Amino acid sequence: MGSGMEHFTIATVAEKSPDFRRVLWTGRHTQLVIMTIPPGGEIGEEVHEDIDQILTFVSGTGEARVAGEKREVVQGDLVVVPAGTKHNFVNTGPNPLVLYTVYGPPEHADQAVHRTKEEADAAEEAGEDEPPA
């Protein structure tokens, strides 16, 4: 957790990452993560009880499923998921669904990189993907 400025050309950084999830920056109160969801893939239905999440879509097409509502998401869209809200994001297009998301407070281990959803799920189940205390 550095105290200097961090600067990302976020769309470019996100587009270049083939990984399902990559933590770019972790602060005391928020965390910046990029994700690439392959065609036919999804984040997986989940609820973050004490964490707000803001997702911005860089490329691809998908479906946001938040609190029982469904809506198409495309490049430039932003979706807010308040703490305690059931959500999932599904890639409905032929290309990767690329996004960046901000968690507040952090949700994942600092500097975590998960190449696939399966790898991410395994790390979470093993307790290896905990945010800094």
Side-chain angles (χ1 to χ4, degrees), residues 36-61:
T36 299
I37 304 166
E42 63 182 74
I43 288 176
E45 189 171 84
E46 59 187 0
V47 175
H48 306 300
E49 289 298 339
D50 300 313
I51 298 171
D52 292 322
Q53 186 175 5
I54 300 170
L55 303 94
T56 304
F57 296 84
V58 173
S59 65
T61 57

Side-chain angles (χ1 to χ4, degrees), residues 35 37 41-43 54-66 69-81 87-100:
M35 297 187 73
I37 304 166
E42 63 182 74
I43 288 176
I54 300 170
L55 303 94
T56 304
F57 296 84
V58 173
S59 65
T61 57
E63 184 176 79
R65 300 175 182 173
V66 180
E69 293 183 49
K70 294 180 181 180
R71 177 167 280 169
E72 181 183 30
V73 290
V74 296
Q75 178 182 0
D77 285 353
L78 182 146
V79 177
V80 174
V81 180
H87 61 281
N88 191 7
F89 295 87
V90 179
N91 184 340
T92 58
N95 300 310
L97 180 61
V98 180
L99 64 103
Y100 63 92

